Amino acid sequence: MSDILILYYSHRGSVRSIAERIARGIESVPGMQARMRTVPKVSTVCEASEAPVPDSGAPYVEAADLEECAGLALGSPVRFGNMAAPMKYFWDGTIAAWQNGTLAGKPACVFTSSSSQHGGNESTLLSMMLPLLHHGMLVTGLPFTEPDLGGTTTGGTPYGPSHVSGADGNPRLSDAESRLAFSQGKRLAILVEKLSRP
């Protein structure tokens, strides 16, 4: 089995919903399995720290997860058109992995959620691609051959799956958002499988 890392930060559950659907897409491809991981919150109090293991949900990501993964799906909520601070903080600490080429040549995709249709989804997806490109990853998006991409009235972009949660932060994906997230996971897994062939 090849592990594909799904690394996400989810504040109200929307990004986690996309991550779970991407995992199903990954695991629809024979020989592929999803490894769900998250990052701790960043505290404004320097002495504060998060527990070493989350109370619920995915465990915190470790260096070994980056080394062992065959591919990566990266997710974060929108924060003023950029990834959330906890995810940015994590990537700022991956210098050793960058120097060692740990992620070089591995396929990757990105996903996000915002509260409004024009809340910065596309700029956030693009911002998440930047550290992946610096790590030498092969970033894939969603082609317009996906019927839902041209017809969605909620989330979904060619840069990656997205969700529009509304002002109440509803984590429930629309049918189109769900299908696009599944397709992205499947597409990533197929790419991993093709690249692993001798």
Side-chain angles (χ1 to χ4, degrees):
M1 296 290 276
S2 293
D3 272 20
I4 297 179
L5 177 61
I6 303 178
L7 176 57
Y8 69 93
Y9 175 72
S10 189
H11 182 66
R12 296 171 75 182
S14 295
V15 175
R16 182 178 178 172
S17 294
I18 302 170
E20 290 167 349
R21 194 67 182 143
I22 287 174
R24 287 192 180 174
I26 289 168
E27 293 181 347
S28 74
V29 177
M32 300 291 155
Q33 66 182 11
R35 181 188 297 196
M36 306 277 279
R37 295 291 185 267
T38 191
V39 294
K41 291 181 179 179
V42 175
S43 175
T44 56
V45 180
C46 294
E47 293 81 20
S49 63
E50 288 290 323
V53 178
D55 292 333
S56 63
Y60 291 140
V61 66
E62 298 177 353
D65 293 312
L66 298 180
E67 294 163 11
E68 296 167 4
C69 74
L72 169 69
L74 178 65
S76 169
V78 171
R79 292 293 182 267
F80 299 105
N82 205 332
M83 70 180 97
M87 189 58 73
K88 178 71 166 65
Y89 183 81
F90 169 77
W91 284 105
D92 285 349
T94 60
I95 300 302
W98 170 72
Q99 289 173 327
N100 296 332
T102 300
L103 296 170
K106 295 180 181 182
C109 68
V110 292
F111 58 100
T112 192
S113 176
S114 67
S115 61
S116 65
Q117 185 69 30
H118 302 290
N121 285 347
E122 291 181 344
S123 62
T124 298
L125 293 168
L126 289 168
S127 79
M128 286 192 294
M129 290 179 189
L130 297 177
L132 305 183
L133 292 168
H134 275 268
H135 276 274
M137 299 197 82
L138 309 173
V139 179
T140 183
L142 285 167
F144 275 94
T145 53
E146 291 291 335
D148 286 307
L149 199 56
T152 182
T153 57
T154 53
T157 80
Y159 309 113
S162 63
H163 169 64
V164 178
S165 66
D168 61 348
N170 186 348
R172 187 171 181 272
L173 304 181
S174 70
D175 290 344
E177 291 170 341
S178 180
R179 287 189 297 266
L180 288 168
F182 182 91
S183 294
Q184 181 71 84
K186 185 175 181 180
R187 182 176 173 79
L188 180 63
I190 289 170
L191 185 54
V192 166
E193 193 272 329
K194 285 181 177 179
L195 289 173
S196 66
R197 292 178 194 163

